[in-house]
Amino acid sequence: MFNESTHKKHWLFPDLAHIDKLRKEAYDKHIETYTPLNPITYEEQSLLIRHYSKELIKFCSVYNPPVPPGTIYTALTYFNRIYLREASIQLQPRDMMFSCAYLAFKVDEYNLSIDQFLKVLPKEMQSLVGHTVISFELTVMSALNCELAVYSPYRPLHGLLTDMKVRHSEEVELLKDKSEKYLSLSILTDVIFLYPPSQIALCAIYISCEDLGIDIEQYMTECLFSDQPDGMKQAIKIVRTQDEILKQHNNKYLGDSEWKIIEEKLGKCRNPEFDPRDPNFTFRNKQI
């Protein structure tokens, strides 16, 4: 399953420096190719991507019946994978937010027609967003190398919680709520490119147990790492590293006025060939 997946083979990386290198190379490549005047900087692009990662989760949360957390994770993963290979002057984060959501809904069989997908938006936005989503569908798939299988940490999270409920006497329902809240913050960071879903899920539970005063180390030692002498030590090291990434990431979000300034700057320097708002836009599912 996961061990044989493209998710593990092609979308997990050794460290944060490697991930940043991929993003920077993608940014530089498109800046050199298009050479716009006063381009958005790499740092500004990074902040805008963080902003729209949060907006993507908000957007997915308005549907009824609710979009499953694993499907939201799929959409968020697509969105962030794109910018390991592409740049915002070509594929604007706002456009990619809607495109990745619609593709994830289809892949994970959260079945909506395009009209149902657009219905949650204000009427004045529906036509443009519909045009954008349809125009960029194959482009998004191309940017992802058609590797659309995403393994969510929500399944191992719930599996671990169920096992703890059977083996452990602690209040698991309270732990479930706190772990899911922690996970919703964690998956906004680059941990999705560094760790398999099971390790992301374990981190969410471990940190939540610490906050609630629940002793999880006995459960981990006896049930998860009973045949691995160094397993517990390695697991805690991974947990601490993930938690530090989350803390650093949470200090880098934009206020409303800040992201709007960057968005306006991007609108003036983006490649019009990829801009559905441009009157000369003729692009439709172009391969990149």
Side-chain angles (χ1 to χ4, degrees):
M1 294 290 286
F2 176 75
N3 286 336
E4 301 300 320
S5 69
T6 57
H7 184 154
K8 180 179 180 180
K9 291 178 182 177
H10 301 151
W11 298 103
L12 290 185
F13 304 100
D15 51 43
L16 289 170
H18 188 94
I19 297 167
D20 192 58
K21 180 173 180 287
L22 291 175
R23 289 197 183 107
K24 188 67 165 60
E25 286 176 347
Y27 170 85
D28 290 341
K29 177 185 70 174
H30 288 292
I31 289 292
E32 291 168 7
T33 300
Y34 177 54
T35 60
L37 294 173
N38 190 29
I40 185 173
T41 67
Y42 175 69
E43 290 73 20
E44 289 170 334
Q45 172 180 282
S46 298
L47 289 169
L48 205 58
I49 290 168
R50 287 194 187 99
H51 171 77
Y52 276 106
S53 292
K54 291 185 74 175
E55 290 299 304
L56 174 54
I57 292 177
K58 289 181 185 177
F59 172 70
C60 290
S61 70
V62 302
Y63 286 91
N64 189 27
V67 180
T71 300
I72 298 176
Y73 178 79
T74 297
L76 184 66
T77 301
Y78 290 165
F79 178 80
N80 282 281
R81 284 180 181 180
I82 284 172
Y83 294 104
L84 297 180
R85 296 177 175 173
E86 308 298 332
S88 61
I89 61 165
Q90 179 163 297
L91 299 179
Q92 187 185 43
R94 186 173 184 273
D95 295 336
M96 293 302 100
M97 176 185 75
F98 294 119
S99 299
C100 289
Y102 188 62
L103 180 60
F105 289 3
K106 292 174 71 173
V107 169
D108 283 4
E109 298 183 352
Y110 180 80
N111 296 313
L112 292 178
S113 68
I114 187 65
D115 290 337
Q116 291 170 318
F117 176 79
L118 298 170
K119 194 173 181 180
V120 300
L121 296 170
K123 285 189 177 181
E124 63 271 17
M125 291 179 59
Q126 292 180 11
S127 177
L128 178 58
V129 172
H131 177 49
T132 299
V133 166
I134 292 170
S135 294
F136 284 121
E137 185 169 21
L138 291 184
T139 306
V140 169
M141 293 177 67
S142 175
L144 299 172
N145 280 352
C146 293
E147 295 172 345
L148 305 181
V150 172
Y151 286 78
S152 160
Y154 285 95
R155 178 172 289 183
L157 178 77
H158 296 150
L160 281 168
L161 289 171
T162 299
D163 190 59
M164 288 179 68
K165 190 171 185 178
V166 172
R167 299 171 183 265
H168 222 50
S169 60
E170 304 293 351
E171 179 53 63
V172 171
E173 283 306 311
L174 183 60
L175 180 58
K176 175 178 180 291
D177 292 341
K178 195 165 187 63
S179 297
E180 287 181 343
K181 288 178 181 177
Y182 185 91
L183 197 59
S184 69
L185 297 174
S186 175
I187 62 177
L188 285 164
T189 75
D190 283 334
V191 300
I192 64 173
F193 294 127
L194 294 171
Y195 300 100
S198 59
Q199 292 182 4
I200 298 174
L202 182 60
C203 177
I205 293 175
Y206 188 97
I207 296 298
S208 298
C209 282
E210 279 194 330
D211 291 346
L212 293 169
I214 296 173
D215 179 14
I216 190 179
E217 293 195 7
Q218 181 180 354
Y219 166 77
M220 290 171 64
T221 302
E222 294 177 356
C223 302
L224 300 183
F225 305 113
S226 59
D227 59 345
Q228 301 175 46
D230 295 328
M232 186 67 181
K233 181 180 178 180
Q234 291 299 318
I236 293 176
K237 182 179 179 180
I238 290 169
V239 164
R240 297 300 178 206
T241 303
Q242 286 189 54
D243 191 47
E244 184 59 31
I245 292 171
L246 186 149
K247 290 175 181 175
Q248 292 177 5
H249 188 93
N250 281 345
N251 294 326
K252 297 178 181 178
Y253 285 113
L254 294 169
D256 286 346
S257 59
E258 295 173 299
W259 76 261
K260 288 178 181 177
I261 291 171
I262 298 176
E263 178 98 325
E264 183 177 352
K265 182 178 180 180
L266 176 58
K268 294 176 180 177
C269 71
R270 73 176 298 192
N271 187 341
E273 182 183 356
F274 291 84
D275 186 359
R277 298 157 191 79
D278 192 281
N280 298 315
F281 176 71
T282 57
F283 172 87
R284 184 180 176 86
N285 282 327
K286 179 178 177 180
Q287 296 296 308
I288 55 177

